[in-house]
Amino acid sequence: MQKIFGGSSGTAKKVLLLGAGFVVKPTLTLLSERGLEITVACRTLESAQKLCKDVKGAKAISLDVENEEALDAQVGKVDVAISLIPYTFHPLVIKSAIRKKVNVVTTSYTSPAMVELEKDIQAAGITVMNEIGLDPGIDHLYAIKTINEVHKEGGKIKSFLSYCGGLPAPEASANPLGYKFSWSARGMLLALGNTARFYQDGNTKEVPGPDLMSVSKRYPTGYTGFAFVAYPNRDSTPFREKYQIPEAETIIRGTLRYTGFPELISCIVDMGFLSQDAQEFLKPSSNNPPSWRDTTAKILNATSSSEQDITWAISSKHTFSDTDQKNRILAGLRWIGLFSSEPITPRSTPLDTLCATLEKKMAYEEGERDLVFLQHKFEIEHKDGKHETRTSTLCEYGDPKGYSAMARLVGIPCGVAVMQVLDGKLGKGLVAPYTPEICDPLREELRERYGIDMVEQTVA
């Protein structure tokens, strides 16, 4: 076991790990195995104690990051603060780290709020390392690798596609959406409302959130055992500059799902179930909550709560491509329970009320595995004019007796980044893995020490 010592005191390095999510445990275990002293801080002491159980060198505390004095007291005791709490709280942690001159690592995208702190970060002489999980994280490490190799040889990246999916393994995907929740259903559904921007054939394209599912399409990965569909997400246009590929005519980063997902989600959107507007009839109450059938009828303004009238109301709001598709989608809605006499779990809005049911019906069961599939596809024009299509692919399953694939592929890169920050390998300031100097040592350690690697192939 390697033990990291700091300063003249000869004591082990110390870290503060903020968060209680499913990615915390792989990070915590890695740092424990490397001999660090870790303080795990959650809002509730019980959550922190559960994470620390049987982990050498770990201790649990209760901490509210919105309490500036309490946060400063804990940040000031450590060498690195790891923020695995919701991204909106990262600036609070970074401001504390600036005051206490302590390094920070997060797995989140670098936000405008973080950029506003860049001068203060530099003045404090600290490292704030972001975007080092799976996506973002591992995706950057291998994008930069191929782009740098092609440019060094005088070639050009004409097109860059990158799609990632966190999914149930095929044998655990037997529901109409082909999806299960290891995190908030609300977060996944809300992401579907974000406008997507990207470059395609030299033009800037924009797809509003409600139309995302309509532009999804089958996506051949070369791994013919998978039937994936892909759709763009967020804003891909900054990656022309971040990846230093001004020559690229197409740049799309997006999401992978199993076939059938977009059609059913599109109908759910058109029915109004992604609305965040509070409704009187959805107010939380312990007394006689309405049935799903009655609730669906009210959201649709159907003439009655009979399945026939509900179906007519759906057909007035959503266009089906054919009878087969209509039957499949209605069967999916029936499976969710939207036509049933089962009582709802009212949560004020259509979105949150639907999430309550989805999280029950689509949770991972004991013994089930998840799957992470990440693939880059590069269209390359070489110096001699020849063209090549190259892919980098990561396909990993979770271990039902250990970590999920998603937890491992977010938590381990985060832990490795913490070690490299402590070793001074990643530089000072507000940084993210967009240069070979940062990416190369991270990628090499992940491959050699933890077996995390993307397989590179020339496919055309």
Side-chain angles (χ1 to χ4, degrees):
M1 179 187 294
Q2 178 188 8
K3 192 158 186 174
I4 305 295
F5 295 97
S8 58
S9 64
T11 57
K13 290 283 189 179
K14 298 179 174 65
V15 299
L16 174 66
L17 203 168
L18 299 158
F22 68 99
V23 304
V24 169
K25 197 62 180 269
T27 305
L28 173 61
T29 302
L30 182 154
L31 298 176
S32 170
E33 290 172 349
R34 302 288 282 271
L36 273 64
E37 293 181 10
I38 313 108
T39 300
V40 178
C42 304
R43 277 187 178 273
T44 64
L45 182 60
E46 184 182 8
S47 296
Q49 288 172 331
K50 186 176 178 182
L51 286 165
C52 291
K53 186 180 179 182
D54 300 324
V55 179
K56 185 178 180 182
K59 69 174 182 179
I61 64 168
S62 171
L63 179 65
D64 178 0
V65 297
E66 294 182 282
N67 182 328
E68 184 179 297
E69 184 178 351
L71 180 60
D72 280 359
Q74 295 301 325
V75 169
K77 297 176 182 178
V78 300
D79 302 287
V80 178
I82 309 164
S83 188
L84 296 178
I85 53 182
Y87 75 95
T88 51
F89 293 106
H90 293 334
L92 296 177
V93 178
I94 294 170
K95 287 176 183 177
S96 178
I98 290 167
R99 290 190 291 269
K100 296 298 180 178
K101 293 183 168 49
V102 169
N103 302 310
V104 177
V105 175
T106 87
T107 59
S108 302
Y109 283 102
T110 303
S111 67
M114 294 182 193
V115 174
E116 289 179 6
L117 299 172
E118 186 165 13
K119 288 184 179 178
D120 293 334
I121 291 167
Q122 292 171 339
I126 64 174
T127 301
V128 175
M129 175 70 180
N130 297 309
E131 304 188 32
I132 188 58
L134 167 64
D135 175 7
I138 295 171
D139 57 345
H140 295 333
L141 305 184
Y142 283 84
I144 295 299
K145 176 180 183 292
T146 294
I147 290 165
N148 191 49
E149 289 171 351
V150 170
H151 283 171
K152 274 188 174 181
E153 294 172 358
K156 298 177 180 179
I157 305 292
K158 302 300 290 182
S159 172
F160 173 76
L161 306 178
S162 179
Y163 290 101
C164 185
L167 297 158
E171 74 275 9
S173 65
N175 68 57
L177 285 169
Y179 194 81
K180 292 200 171 180
F181 295 102
S182 56
W183 61 302
S184 160
R186 191 177 205 273
M188 187 277 278
L189 292 174
L190 280 179
L192 299 173
N194 295 331
T195 295
R197 295 183 74 242
F198 51 92
Y199 295 117
Q200 189 168 39
D201 300 326
N203 299 310
T204 303
K205 300 287 183 72
E206 191 167 293
V207 180
D211 298 334
L212 268 184
M213 296 300 97
S214 66
V215 301
S216 66
K217 57 186 178 181
R218 285 182 176 270
Y219 188 72
T221 61
Y223 291 70
T224 54
F226 294 111
F228 290 132
V229 292
Y231 55 89
N233 65 24
R234 304 195 187 212
D235 187 357
S236 299
T237 59
F239 289 89
R240 183 180 270 175
E241 179 180 350
K242 288 181 178 182
Y243 284 168
Q244 297 182 43
I245 45 175
E247 72 275 20
E249 297 173 357
T250 296
I251 301 175
I252 304 174
R253 288 162 49 91
T255 300
L256 292 174
R257 294 287 181 257
Y258 291 129
T259 55
F261 180 93
E263 292 87 351
L264 184 51
I265 287 291
S266 180
C267 184
I268 289 170
V269 170
D270 289 347
M271 290 170 69
F273 272 106
L274 263 59
S275 170
Q276 298 179 67
D277 296 332
Q279 301 291 338
E280 185 67 27
F281 65 91
L282 296 177
K283 285 181 69 173
S285 170
S286 59
N287 299 321
N288 300 318
S291 69
W292 259 118
R293 183 171 56 214
D294 291 341
T295 300
T296 302
K298 282 188 177 181
I299 289 171
L300 288 167
N301 290 318
T303 55
S304 82
S305 60
S306 71
E307 184 167 330
Q308 183 180 42
D309 283 344
I310 290 173
T311 300
W312 282 342
I314 293 170
S315 298
S316 72
K317 294 177 178 290
H318 181 77
T319 301
F320 300 99
S321 62
D322 53 43
T323 301
D324 284 346
Q325 187 197 65
K326 178 178 179 179
N327 290 337
R328 284 197 305 274
I329 289 175
L330 291 177
L333 299 175
R334 202 172 288 115
W335 181 89
I336 293 171
L338 301 189
F339 305 154
S340 75
S341 58
E342 290 292 314
I344 65 169
T345 303
R347 290 188 180 173
S348 299
T349 71
L351 171 66
D352 293 302
T353 301
L354 176 63
C355 287
T357 289
L358 293 181
E359 286 168 1
K360 288 178 186 175
K361 297 205 69 164
M362 297 170 62
Y364 280 93
E365 296 181 13
E366 187 174 351
E368 290 186 333
R369 305 184 297 171
D370 70 326
L371 163 72
V372 165
F373 195 99
L374 166 65
Q375 186 177 79
H376 299 326
K377 187 176 290 183
F378 306 87
E379 298 294 341
I380 299 165
E381 183 182 293
H382 289 288
K383 187 178 181 180
D384 61 5
K386 290 182 180 177
H387 289 259
E388 176 191 356
T389 302
R390 191 183 303 177
T391 59
S392 298
T393 307
L394 172 64
C395 179
E396 179 155 334
Y397 290 94
D399 178 358
K401 296 180 180 178
Y403 301 133
S404 69
M406 184 63 73
R408 181 172 184 268
L409 294 174
V410 176
I412 296 297
C414 177
V416 168
V418 170
M419 298 308 302
Q420 294 198 4
V421 166
L422 288 170
D423 289 342
K425 291 182 179 180
L426 302 184
K428 299 294 183 183
L430 183 64
V431 297
Y434 289 112
T435 65
E437 292 75 21
I438 291 175
C439 291
D440 290 353
L442 289 165
R443 189 180 60 252
E444 288 164 12
E445 184 169 352
L446 286 169
R447 183 184 67 247
E448 293 171 6
R449 191 161 190 158
Y450 298 99
I452 295 174
D453 196 10
M454 291 184 76
V455 176
E456 298 171 306
Q457 293 179 301
T458 295
V459 296

